[in-house]
Every structure is written in C-alpha cells, then in structure tokens.
C-alpha cells in the first residue's frame, strides 16, 4: 500500500521547501503487494528529492491497474487518465501546448505492448520529452490476468495456459526507434529504480522505463517469468548505478576505467560502475546484443540500457516560441487586419 | 492552318444568343495537368464580372483515370452544379464518345481533331482542333507539351465565347504567379489556340460571355483554404492531422498560412505547432491533450478518420476537453468514393462514440461560412469544453467558390470559463465538474496556469473529478452534460429562415445543398407556381427556430446528400411525433454535388402525390 512514508527523506524539507507529503497522492486502490505500488513510492521519493515543483508536472496514463497509479502520487499535479493504449498522443498534445511542463506517463504492458503499440512506437520515434513508464507484469491485471504481449515464451498462466508466442521486448524496440533514454528495472530493486527515476527526471527527451512489476493476484505463481521470485533470481544488473544531482556537486573517486560517467541534460551525472563485460550504454548495437543474449538465457538485463543525452527532442525540432503555446494571447495568435487584407487581395 | 477535318454538313445550333448562362465541361485524363487551364478559364469569366462556379470531378488516382471539370457561368448567380453540359471540351480519348453521346442537342464540342467525334452524331456543334499540330511550334520542348497543350483549348474558348484575350492572359498570370517562363510558354499556347479558332472555326453555337459587374471586389477560394484562414484568425496553436482526401488541403493550406503569418519575424519562431500524426486516433488524442493543457487545438479529417476518432470523441465529451474537428465529408461507407462528395456523416458524428453523447456541429454552406464557422468552432469548443465538429464536404472544401472578401473578426476569441484568482475568490471554492452557473458548463484550470489541479479522466467521476462509481455521481454528470447541450443550442449559429409570399411548403437544407435548394426554389416558384419557405440549418443542436418552422408548414422537405435522410433522422429525434410526420425527404447520393433540377423534380413529385 502507498500509505507508509518514504524511508529516505523523513519529514525534512527539500530544495524548494516542500515536505514529502506534498508529493503524495490519493490512497492506492491497487492490491496490497502489487509491484505498481512500490513504483509509486519511488516516484514520490524521486520528485521530492529532485525538488521538482509538482505544479509543473503532468501525470498521464492509459487504462489498466498501472494506469490508475498516477492518482496515487503527486496529488497536486494535473493528471489525465486517457483511453486504453492512447496515452502517448494525449501526452504529446499536452507537451505541444505547454513545453514547460514535465510529463510523466504510466502505462502497462498491455496498454503499451498490445492496443497501444502504434502510439508507443511513434512516441519513441519522436523523442517527445517525457518519462514513459511501463509497469510490466506480463499480464492484463485489470481484466483479470490474460496474457500480454510481453509475456515470455513458455510462461504459464495461473489457469495453466502456456504462452507460445515470443514476447515483445519494449526496451529493444524503444532503442531501435530512437528513444534517447532506455532503462529496465525491477519494482523490488529500490536503489536501482530510484537512481534511474532521478536520472529520468534529469534527462530531456523520451525516457522509456520498463519496470518489471509483478501482479501478485494473477501472475506471481510458479511457472510465471514475471513473479517476484523468478525476477529476483534472473535479474542481471548491468552495473552498479549511482546518480549525482547537479545541485549536489559531489566528486566521486574511482580508479581509472572503473566507472563510466554520463552527463545528463540538467547537468546531473550518472555513474555506472562496471561489474562485468564492456557494456557501453551509449552504444545501440551493444545494447541490442546484450538484451538479446540475456533474454535468450531467460534473464532480465537491468539498469541503464541506452542513453543519448544530446538527441534533440521533438519540441525543439518544432522551433516554438519560448512561452507555452497554451498561454499566448490573442495579440500573439491573431494576425492583423493587414494580413487578412493581403490574403484577400491575392484571391481576387 | 486548315482544320484537320471539316464536319461534312456542319450543324448550326438554332437558338439565339445565350449570354452568361451555360456550363462548360472539360473532360481530361487525371495527371494531364489540365487544372491550370481550367482555373484560368474559370478566373477569366470571373474577371469578366460574370458569376461563375467550378467543380472538379476527379478520381481517387494519381494519373490515368478520367476527370471532369465543370464551369458554370450564371448571370442570375446560381452556383450549384448543373447537370446539363452546353460546351464540352473532349480531351480524353477514352471517354470522348460517351461524353459526346450524353450531350443534349444544340450543345457544342471542342475536341482533338484526331478523335473524329463528328461521326458520333449530327445534332451538336463540332469544333475540331489539331492540338498536336498547334502545340509543336509554340512548345519546342516535347516533354512540356502535354501540360501546355491544355492552354490551347482556353485560347479556342476565348475566341468562341468572346472572352477578352487580355483578360485571359491576366487570369493566367494570376494562376501561375511568379513563374515567368511558365507564363510565357502558356501564353504562347493560349494565343495559338485563339488564332487557330479565329482563322478556322466559324461560331455556330449560341453561347457567349459578355462582361457584367457582378463579381467586383469578390474573391475566389476553396472551402478548405477558407477554413484554414478562419482557424489561423481564431488563434489556433496546435494542429494535428493525418492525410486524407478531401481534408488534407485544409491542413496544407493552414501550414502555408501559418508559416507566413504566425512566425515571429524577429526570432523565426512559431506561435503554433503542426504535427502530422501516425493516424486519426493520435491526431485527435494530441488535439485533446493540447486542449486539456489550454491550447486552441484542432484536427481535420474525413469519414474514415471520424470513425477512428469515435473513442477519443467520447473521452473529450465525458472528460470535457475542447477540440475542433473539421470533417470534410466524402462518400462512404468504408473507403467509398474518396474523391466524391456527400453529407453522410451527420448521424454518426452527432452521437459519435459509445454511451450517451451529443456533439455540437456547425454546418457551413459557403466559403464565407467555412471561414466564419472555423472561428466560431474554437469559441464554442472552449465555451462548452467539448469537441466541436465543423461539417464541411468535398464540394465545399475542394472546389473554388466566389465570395465576398472575409471580414476581420471584431470579437476577441472566447476562451470560455478559465478559473482565475478573481473567479476563485468570487466562487469561494472550486470543483472541476460543479455546475455553479446553471448552464452545465463548469470552470476549468490548465496545468501551469497557477490554479488548482484536477485529475481528468474518462472514467466515472464526481464533481471533484475523483473516481466514482456512485449511481448519483454518474447520473448527475450525464444530466449536467445534457444541460450543457441545452446551452449549446443557444450558442450554435441559428438557422436562416426565409419565405416566398404565399409559400405553401417548407424546405430544410444545410451545407452545400443550399445552393441547389436556392435555385430550385426559384424553379418551383417560377415554373411550377409553388412558392416555398426555407430554413437553412447552420448548427446542431437545433435552436427553437427549427421547431417553429416545422410547426408553421404542413409539409417540410428535408433536402440532403445521403441515402438515409440522416438530418431528417436527427430532426425526428428532437420533434414531437405529429411534427415528425410533416417531414419529407429529398435525398441525393450519387457522389456528385446536388443540382437544382433534382430537388425540384423530387419536391414536385411528392407534392403531386401528397396534395391529392
Ligand atoms: C478499447 C478498450 N479495450 C479494452 C479495454 C479493457 N481493458 C482495460 S485494462 C486492459 C488491460 C490492462 O493491462 P495492462 O496494460 O497490462 O495493465 P495492468 O492492469 O496489468 O497494470 C484492458 C484490456 C478497454 N478499457 N478499452
Ligand atoms: S490485479 Fe495485479 S496488477 Fe492489478 S492491482 Fe492487483 S496485483 Fe496489481
């Protein structure tokens, strides 16, 4: 449940003078133990710790248990719970209207991978500045446990039905399509999820965050590859990850070659301590290869999979005026009499 | 140059001169570049001061299928389609014989001499023209000949119809703009056609253009460009669309206008975003996202897109998010006839989406109204906080129409009920979905405006916007939305009502059907002695004037361009049963624009049966 206070910050005020409570939302109506609740908690923490003004945030979602969760965090932010699978377009529209907003969208693996795959693909391709979270449980929670397109080959439903279709790897897809920040984590891994969420806030562009988030009611049994125990046993972190916000100018000492540092849009840094191999999250080809290899071993590669901090986001490509389009005045948006007269003259 | 073949016993039309009252049909193959020649011809008649209209009947294809362009000159100012052709320009070898066969006696044909059409019949006037021989010397570049060739028939017609050649050159310059090379080449072809006709063709038909003064100061524009100008003047900031005939040219024209007039000259930055979406679901999703966030947002589409927008329209209705949707209707269902016109989306759009919904619709009949209603639609969408549809059609959207120049909007845009600190203080407390004013329209806020936030959702909610499945909350919301529809009734443009002296029956029409009905009323009165009253609908939901009209006339003919009498159906939903029985239906649904004769015939037939 989402009622316990976040462990880290206690009641102290953050950078902009807000208490943790200012980042809470309504009481969760999801099942106790649902992975989605843990994610809401980390979101509350991350926005609190980053000192983001909730009134600048818009929370977007589609339909599903996961899509309900924006009601359970950042209660003083605007939210839009849209229709099934179509959150990307609504979020894109909102960002077109007001480029100064900070958008976070929450979707499910059905909402994204099935009905919404088309809009998902185009959101990634456009690199619309927003955080797009898929709370991935391999099933449809809200409609009572049917298979979703991210269910792994051979994964077994509670009813005994075996999935015989290959899964869609949403991270691989996002990398291929041009998302500029792609990561995977597990609702049970507090530390990694927190670092990734804060890095997501620091990034400008589409952040695709696939969070494996077990459905305790329909997909947490023996034979499921999205159960808590399966994911715990098959989680393959790419490296230890720490986040250094731009406002905490800590210098960290590591031996040469031990750590890869990624500087994000707002100046914050991600420090990736390599555990194994030659993983380089700025290399698409390696990312795809590692995803493929881990998946074929039945493992989940987690951590920062791919990042391209400098890719221009969709709004900057549109060359918009600085002020939000939504707040332009009639003087700024209605051409003068001379313009209409000129157009009329050309039509005579 | 001697004519290739001189018709043996040349037919001469018996009639005396027919001045400024005839129609020309140019039959070509699509992709042959005849559009310039056709528009130059139309414009030269317009610039002669003669009321004129043009309709392009084109295939859903890029090149190789038959296309007809009809131009109607009408001294009385009728601009509806006319079924009869007086002058045929037969440029399409595949359809030429059929085109000639369908003419009525006394018509004239300008054609490629090689086609030998004079053999088809002997009761029309034939003007053979050796196009290839004329074009070769004026256009040495063989690759350009196909395009330039068409200007020759303009030259021939200028001579035959008595259109001042200087006026035609002027029209050509207007049409081609600043392309001196193209202008010179086309002018040469125009002149060559004129000279050929002067030397070789003896005028044997009665049709002539004589200068009038009925078009002074007027403009020529298509309805999509007119709507685009309206949207720009309304201050639209977010435009999302997916290409579909016949609506694409609206967004394309808008893109052109916005780049020219809505870009900050100092910084080069845009006060607008235009996004080509991946489909119509996305197009409306983006518009709703933008409308929710406080922008003036729109999309434009046609029937297939409207079908895809159903679910999102319901969201916009139930979550109360403004958006403007232009539906440039084409003949459905399914892909139907993508390049032919219809008024076939009324019923499905009025109640688009599942559950109880009703959506305001504006019904422009003219390019002037396409402009005005585009602006009105944005005001309405924000005033009512709901999707608003502008129901244009292919005939209005893609054809060129005469109009008075558009007037600059005198009223500031109506941004509707947006909560401000002052309003909040007056209200004391604010709930997103509470009807504090009794008009069904609550106050709203937008992210980033400094006012309190709310959670917008398409699921059941209470006045605070919180998730609710309580029967009272749900029923209360639906009832309030019904109240909002009553408010909409008072805000959409009222119907226009007029009546002949001694009128005996009523007619109801809307959109482009208006032009055929206006002409038909003259025919009914002058030829059949049946004076009529007429109500032209301009918006939905209907205002009280509509019921009053039906009460006044015992028989009311609802004229529309669809098979099932969709507007009659919508009227029947609103009227009491005895009034519904007064409604009769005149329906036209062959994909071609409605013409006056069809209306007159249908009304008279029913009157004969009906008056007993
Ligand atoms: C157009 C449409 N089709 C079907 C549904 C029913 N529906 C609601 S939620 C859902 C699946 C949700 O699954 P997922 O996105 O994985 O989210 P979860 O509940 O597992 O978090 C479906 C099919 C709907 N709301 N709308
Ligand atoms: S059904 Fe599954 S996904 Fe839905 S709330 Fe319960 S545990 Fe979470």
């Amino acid at each position: 449940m989402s009622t316990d206070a976040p462990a880290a910050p206690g009641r102290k005020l953050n950078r902009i003078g807000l208490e943790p409570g200012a980042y809470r939302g309504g009481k969760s109506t999801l099942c106790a133990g649902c992975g989605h609740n843990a994610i809401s908690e980390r979101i509350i923490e991350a926005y609190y710790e980053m000192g983001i003004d909730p009134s600048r945030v818009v929370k977007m979602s589609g339909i599903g248990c996961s899509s309900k969760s924006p009601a359970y965090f950042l209660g003083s932010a605007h939210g839009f719970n849209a229709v099934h699978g179509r959150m990307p377009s609504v979020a894109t529209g909102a960002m077109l209207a007001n480029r100064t907003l900070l958008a976070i969208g929450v979707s499910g693996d059905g909402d994204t991978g099935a009905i919404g795959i088309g809009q998902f693909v185009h959101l990634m391709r456009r690199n619309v500045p927003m955080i797009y979270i898929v709370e991935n449980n391999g099933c449809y929670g809200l409609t009572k446990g049917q298979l979703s397109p991210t269910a792994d080959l051979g994964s077994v439903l509670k009813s005994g039905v075996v999935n015989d279709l290959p899964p869609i790897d949403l991270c691989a897809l996002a990398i291929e399509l041009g998302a500029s920040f792609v990561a995977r984590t597990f609702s049970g891994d507090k530390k990694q999820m927190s670092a990734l969420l804060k890095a997501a806030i620091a990034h400008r562009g589409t952040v695709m965050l696939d969070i494996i988030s077990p459905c305790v009611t329909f997909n947490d049994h023996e034979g499921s590859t999205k159960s808590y125990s399966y994911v715990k046993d098959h989680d393959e972190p790419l490296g230890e990850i720490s986040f250094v916000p731009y406002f905490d100018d800590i210098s960290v000492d590591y031996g040469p070659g031990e750590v890869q540092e990624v500087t994000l849009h707002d100046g914050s840094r991600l420090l990736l301590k390599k555990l194994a191999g030659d993983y380089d999250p700025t290399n698409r080809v390696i990312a795809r290869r590692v995803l493929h290899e881990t998946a074929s071993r039945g493992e989940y590669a987690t951590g920062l999979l791919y990042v391209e901090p400098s890719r221009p986001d969709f709004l900057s490509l549109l060359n918009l005026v600085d002020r939000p389009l939504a707040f332009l005045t009639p003087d700024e948006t209605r051409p003068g009499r001379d313009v209409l007269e000129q157009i009329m003259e050309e039509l005579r | 140059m001697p004519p290739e073949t001189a018709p043996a016993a040349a037919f001469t039309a018996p009639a005396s001169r027919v001045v400024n009252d005839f129609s020309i049909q140019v039959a070509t193959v699509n992709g042959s570049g005849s559009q310039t020649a056709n528009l130059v011809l139309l414009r030269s008649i317009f610039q002669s001061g003669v009321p004129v209209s043009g309709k392009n009947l084109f295939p859903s294809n890029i090149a190789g299928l038959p296309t007809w362009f009809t131009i109607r000159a009408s001294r009385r100012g009728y601009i509806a389609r006319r079924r009869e052709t007086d002058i045929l320009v037969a440029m399409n070898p595949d359809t030429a014989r059929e085109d000639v066969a369908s003419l009525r006696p006394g018509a004239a044909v300008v054609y490629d001499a090689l086609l030998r059409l004079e053999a088809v019949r002997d009761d029309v006037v034939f003007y053979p023209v050796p196009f290839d021989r004329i074009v070769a010397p004026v256009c040495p570049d063989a690759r350009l000949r196909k395009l330039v060739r068409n200007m020759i028939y303009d030259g021939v017609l200028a001579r035959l119809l008595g259109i001042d050649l200087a006026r035609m050159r002027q029209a050509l310059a207007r049409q081609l703009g600043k392309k001196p090379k193209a202008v010179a080449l086309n002018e040469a072809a125009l002149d060559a056609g004129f000279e050929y006709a002067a030397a070789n063709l003896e005028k044997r038909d009665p049709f002539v253009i004589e200068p009038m003064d009925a078009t002074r100061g007027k403009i020529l524009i298509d309805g999509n460009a007119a709507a685009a100008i309206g949207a720009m003047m309304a201050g639209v900031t977010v435009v999302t669309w997916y290409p579909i005939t016949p609506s694409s040219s609206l967004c394309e024209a808008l893109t052109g206008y916005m780049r020219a007039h809505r870009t900050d000259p100092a910084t080069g930055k845009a006060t607008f975003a235009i996004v080509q979406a991946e489909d119509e679901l996305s197009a409306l999703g983006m518009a709703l996202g933008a409308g929710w966030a406080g922008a003036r947002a729109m999309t434009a589409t046609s029937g297939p897109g409207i079908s895809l927008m159903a679910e999102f329209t319901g969201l916009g209705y139930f979550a109360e998010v403004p958006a403007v949707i232009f539906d440039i209707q084409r003949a459905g269902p399914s892909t139907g006839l993508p390049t032919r016109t219809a008024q076939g989306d009324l019923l499905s759009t009025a109640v688009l989406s599942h559950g109880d919904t009703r959506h305001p619709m504006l019904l422009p009949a003219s390019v002037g109204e396409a402009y005005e209603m585009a602006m009105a639609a944005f005001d309405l969408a924000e005033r009512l906080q709901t999707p608003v549809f502008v129901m244009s059609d292919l005939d209005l959207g893609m054809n060129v129409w005469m109009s008075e120049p558009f007037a600059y909007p005198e009223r500031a845009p109506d941004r509707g009920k947006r909560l401000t600190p002052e309003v909040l203080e007056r209200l004391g407390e604010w709930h997103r979905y509470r009807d504090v004013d009794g008009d069904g329209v609550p106050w709203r806020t937008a992210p980033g405006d400094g006012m309190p936030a709310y959670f917008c959702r398409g699921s059941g909610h209470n006045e605070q916007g919180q998730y609710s499945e309580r029967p009272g909350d749900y029923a209360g919301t639906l009832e309030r939305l019904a109240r909002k529809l009553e408010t909409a009734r008072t805000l959409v443009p009222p119907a226009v009502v007029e009546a002949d002296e001694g009128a005996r029956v009523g007619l109801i029409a809307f959109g482009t059907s208006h032009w055929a009905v206006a002409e038909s009323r003259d025919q009914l009165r002058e030829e059949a002695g049946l004076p009529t009253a007429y109500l032209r609908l301009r918006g939905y939901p209907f205002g009280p004037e509509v019921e009053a009209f039906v009460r006044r006339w015992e028989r009311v003919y609802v004229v529309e361009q669809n098979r099932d009498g969709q507007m009659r159906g919508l009227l029947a939903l609103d009227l009491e049963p005895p009034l519904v029985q007064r409604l009769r239906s005149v329906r036209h649904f062959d994909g071609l624009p409605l013409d006056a004769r069809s209306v007159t015939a249908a009304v008279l037939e029913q009157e004969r049966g009906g008056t007993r």
Side-chain angles (χ1 to χ4, degrees):
Chain A
M1 298 291 287
S2 68
T3 42
D4 21 289
R11 283 187 57 85
K12 69 177 209 277
L13 304 182
N14 69 2
R15 285 196 314 126
I16 60 166
L18 293 180
E19 288 188 2
Y23 293 83
R24 303 213 143 270
K27 187 171 173 298
S28 172
T29 57
L30 302 179
C31 306
C34 174
H36 304 350
N37 284 331
I39 299 169
S40 296
E41 286 303 319
R42 299 291 87 72
I43 292 172
I44 290 168
E45 253 169 45
Y47 279 85
Y48 166 79
E49 287 177 21
M50 290 294 283
I52 301 295
D53 176 359
S55 73
R56 288 183 59 206
V57 177
V58 286
K59 307 174 293 181
M60 317 299 294
S61 63
I63 297 292
C65 295
S66 37
S67 292
K68 284 172 180 263
S69 65
Y72 315 138
F73 58 80
L74 270 57
S76 57
H78 276 267
F80 198 154
N81 183 195
V83 287
H84 195 23
R86 321 289 178 199
M87 175 258 280
S89 61
V90 180
T92 302
M95 291 307 291
L96 291 170
N98 189 340
R99 54 182 303 183
T100 66
L101 298 175
L102 304 172
I104 176 169
V106 178
S107 175
D109 42 302
D111 195 64
T112 291
I115 193 167
I117 194 81
Q119 297 211 343
F120 171 76
V121 160
H122 290 275
L123 182 81
M124 298 298 127
R125 198 179 145 239
R126 292 191 180 101
N127 197 28
V128 174
M130 73 174 293
I131 301 171
Y132 188 95
I133 295 176
V134 179
E135 299 186 343
N136 186 351
N137 53 19
C139 73
Y140 292 0
L142 194 58
T143 50
K144 297 191 177 290
Q146 299 86 350
L147 285 170
S148 94
T150 66
D152 295 297
L153 206 54
S155 187
V156 185
L157 278 184
K158 240 183 178 169
S159 57
V161 173
V162 179
N163 176 35
D164 51 10
L165 290 177
I168 295 177
D169 185 331
L170 294 170
C171 289
L173 194 57
I175 293 169
E176 191 60 33
L177 291 165
S180 51
F181 185 122
V182 180
R184 170 171 290 146
T185 185
F186 170 41
S187 65
D189 186 342
K190 264 191 190 181
K191 184 164 178 279
Q192 190 189 46
M193 197 196 324
S194 288
L196 288 170
L197 275 170
K198 284 184 252 175
I201 293 170
H203 179 74
R204 176 105 188 150
T206 304
V207 172
M208 159 58 186
L209 203 47
D210 182 29
I211 307 183
I212 301 169
S213 174
C215 169
V216 289
T217 306
F218 296 110
N219 207 9
D220 196 30
H221 50 274
E222 183 73 35
S224 158
T225 60
K226 297 275 192 297
S227 66
Y228 275 110
S229 63
Y230 183 93
V231 181
K232 263 185 212 140
D233 292 347
H234 296 81
D235 185 355
E236 277 298 311
L238 291 166
E240 204 176 280
I241 183 167
S242 23
F243 175 81
V244 183
Y246 68 93
F247 49 82
D248 271 0
D249 200 17
I250 306 166
S251 62
V252 195
D253 278 340
Y254 283 109
E258 234 185 324
V259 151
Q260 184 171 357
E261 190 174 304
V262 179
T263 306
L264 298 160
H265 178 81
D266 72 357
S268 300
R269 289 172 299 151
L270 262 184
L271 305 178
L272 308 163
K273 190 173 174 197
K274 291 174 196 178
L275 289 187
D278 56 353
Y279 200 83
D280 174 3
T282 63
N283 186 320
R284 253 203 190 91
V285 180
I286 295 178
R288 295 289 314 263
R289 198 195 69 218
V290 168
L291 279 172
H292 188 78
E293 286 170 1
T294 45
S296 61
R297 293 196 298 267
E299 295 167 356
Y300 295 109
T302 61
L304 179 66
L305 296 167
Y306 179 71
V307 67
E308 189 183 351
S310 58
R311 186 179 163 207
D313 70 78
F314 186 58
L315 301 180
S316 62
L317 295 175
L318 292 171
N319 195 26
L320 305 176
V321 290
D322 296 336
R323 292 199 18 250
L325 296 181
F327 300 139
L328 297 179
T329 63
D331 287 352
E332 294 165 292
T333 55
R334 173 172 284 174
R337 282 171 201 277
D338 54 320
V339 169
L340 188 63
E341 185 40 48
Q342 180 200 329
I343 295 172
M344 291 301 110
E345 193 44 46
E346 284 160 8
L347 296 167
R348 284 199 172 98
Chain B
M1 229 184 291
E4 208 112 301
T5 44
F11 170 82
T12 300
S16 54
R17 279 155 51 87
V18 176
V19 181
N20 299 344
D21 188 17
F22 55 88
S23 43
I24 305 168
Q25 182 169 71
V26 182
T28 50
V29 179
N30 83 314
S32 65
S34 58
Q35 188 73 347
T36 305
N38 297 336
L39 291 174
V40 166
L41 180 57
L42 180 128
R43 192 175 277 281
S44 68
I45 297 171
F46 173 76
Q47 285 172 350
S48 303
V50 179
V52 67
S53 57
K55 297 201 187 294
N56 192 9
L57 307 178
F58 61 106
S60 175
N61 189 55
I62 300 301
L65 286 183
T67 295
W68 293 269
F69 193 90
T70 59
I71 294 175
R72 177 180 188 183
S74 168
R75 111 180 142 253
R76 292 185 68 177
Y78 296 135
I79 54 178
R81 182 172 80 96
R82 195 165 158 272
R83 270 185 293 178
E84 306 77 19
T85 297
D86 298 304
I87 299 167
L88 170 71
V89 180
M91 301 295 284
N92 181 354
D94 291 341
T95 64
R97 285 175 180 265
E98 210 185 306
D99 289 337
V100 169
S102 70
L103 293 172
R104 49 175 193 178
V109 193
V110 172
Y111 61 106
D112 190 341
L114 296 174
L115 296 177
R116 302 196 178 273
L117 297 178
E118 62 282 355
V120 177
R121 55 194 283 188
D122 58 10
D123 57 351
V124 298
V125 181
F126 286 102
Y127 295 116
V129 178
F131 282 92
D132 293 335
R133 273 175 44 208
I134 300 174
V135 79
V138 299
C139 184
D141 185 343
R143 286 166 307 173
L144 294 177
R145 277 181 203 153
K146 193 179 102 181
L147 300 174
V148 172
R149 215 169 168 262
N150 294 306
M151 285 312 295
I152 292 172
Y153 64 71
D154 275 6
V156 169
L157 287 172
R159 167 70 192 183
L160 290 174
L161 301 176
I163 301 172
D164 187 356
L165 194 58
R167 215 161 241 147
M168 223 177 226
R169 287 212 191 105
Q170 194 190 332
L172 176 65
R174 267 266 145 148
Q175 200 59 42
L176 290 181
K178 296 176 191 80
K179 296 182 208 149
K181 262 202 192 141
V183 173
L185 202 56
N186 280 285
E187 245 180 36
L190 187 65
D191 291 355
F194 187 88
E195 280 156 25
Y196 177 84
N200 301 289
L201 302 177
E202 181 205 345
K203 172 84 171 169
R204 279 176 288 115
D205 69 80
F207 308 108
V208 289
I209 291 289
E210 277 180 8
M212 288 173 64
D213 192 18
T215 66
R216 187 194 296 267
K218 291 200 164 142
I219 59 167
L220 279 178
I221 189 172
D222 61 78
N224 281 348
I229 297 171
M232 174 172 71
M233 300 310 285
V236 67
T237 47
V238 175
V239 181
T240 55
W241 66 295
Y242 187 76
I244 182 169
T245 303
S247 78
S248 298
S249 64
L250 198 165
C251 291
E252 283 160 350
L254 183 55
T255 304
Y257 286 127
M258 297 284 263
R259 284 198 182 133
H261 306 299
R262 288 278 300 277
T263 304
D264 182 340
T267 60
K269 291 190 173 179
T271 58
F272 64 89
I274 299 182
V275 175
Q276 186 183 317
E278 56 271 30
D279 55 28
E280 289 87 348
L281 284 81
S282 254
L284 184 55
M286 289 181 193
L288 288 174
W292 166 72
R296 288 210 137 178
M298 63 166 271
T299 180
T301 189
S302 191
I306 290 290
S307 295
L308 287 183
M309 289 175 182
E311 189 189 22
F312 259 134
T313 299
L315 174 70
Y317 175 80
F318 196 54
E320 302 182 57
V321 182
V324 172
I325 301 140
F326 290 88
D327 178 7
I328 318 301
Q329 297 167 89
R330 68 187 211 184
S334 190
T335 304
L337 301 178
T339 60
R340 296 298 156 85
T341 198
Q343 297 178 317
D345 299 346
L346 297 153
L347 202 54
S348 56
T349 303
V351 294
L352 193 64
S353 207
H354 51 278
D356 288 313
T357 66
R358 292 280 182 109
H359 312 293
M361 300 191 289
L362 304 183
L363 308 165
S366 62
V367 289
E369 282 188 342
Y371 166 75
E372 299 279 346
M373 289 185 183
M375 288 190 286
F378 285 95
D379 284 357
L380 271 178
E382 288 198 295
R383 166 69 29 199
L384 295 167
Q385 300 173 19
T386 200
V388 170
F389 292 82
V390 182
M391 306 299 284
S392 176
D393 64 25
L394 181 142
D395 185 17
L396 178 59
M398 290 191 73
N399 286 321
V400 171
W401 302 73
M402 298 187 307
S403 171
E404 290 300 331
F406 302 157
Y408 193 77
E410 298 302 336
R411 279 190 318 143
D414 176 2
R415 304 301 307 266
K417 295 189 191 177
R418 295 286 290 269
L419 194 71
T420 59
E422 298 75 54
V423 176
L424 184 54
E425 202 186 302
R426 175 165 66 77
L427 298 180
E429 56 174 357
W430 170 77
H431 297 298
R432 171 63 183 98
Y433 294 111
R434 180 168 292 177
D435 182 11
V436 288
D437 303 315
D439 58 359
V441 186
W443 291 80
R444 72 177 180 127
T445 63
D449 70 359
M451 291 284 98
Y454 69 100
F455 202 89
C456 183
R457 58 174 102 236
S459 43
H461 45 266
N462 60 17
E463 287 184 338
Q464 285 78 38
Q466 290 157 335
Y467 184 85
S468 169
E469 296 179 1
R470 291 178 49 195
D473 286 339
Y474 174 70
T477 302
L478 282 194
E479 274 159 12
R480 181 174 57 73
L481 291 173
R483 216 148 56 230
K484 195 197 254 192
L485 196 85
E486 293 308 310
T487 302
R489 258 181 231 289
T490 66
L491 295 178
V492 299
V496 179
V497 184
E498 52 192 81
D500 289 338
E501 230 188 272
R504 299 210 306 270
V505 298
L507 297 176
I508 291 180
F510 57 94
T512 52
S513 298
H514 165 68
W515 303 103
V517 169
E519 185 176 348
S520 167
R521 290 182 63 216
D522 288 351
Q523 292 171 353
L524 288 169
R525 191 182 56 249
E526 292 166 13
E527 298 170 11
L530 181 67
T532 58
Y534 176 36
L535 177 139
R536 180 165 71 85
L537 294 165
R538 297 195 304 155
Y540 179 84
F542 309 120
E545 69 281 8
V546 178
E547 192 198 308
F549 183 84
V550 179
R551 266 188 204 290
R552 176 86 178 72
W553 306 101
E554 227 165 84
R555 293 186 301 285
V556 177
Y557 292 89
V558 185
V559 182
E560 53 193 312
Q561 299 179 55
N562 58 62
R563 185 194 65 186
D564 291 346
Q566 298 187 11
M567 187 61 87
R568 186 191 175 282
L570 287 176
L571 287 162
L573 279 179
D574 269 26
L575 297 170
E576 294 163 16
L579 292 181
V580 174
Q581 286 181 359
R582 297 175 168 209
L583 299 179
R584 298 171 176 218
S585 200
V586 173
R587 306 161 196 186
H588 172 92
F589 51 95
D590 62 3
L592 302 178
L594 180 61
D595 63 284
R597 282 284 157 216
S598 298
V599 179
T600 303
V603 171
L604 288 178
E605 195 188 310
Q606 294 189 52
E607 275 299 291
R608 284 191 199 110
T611 27
R612 274 176 288 260

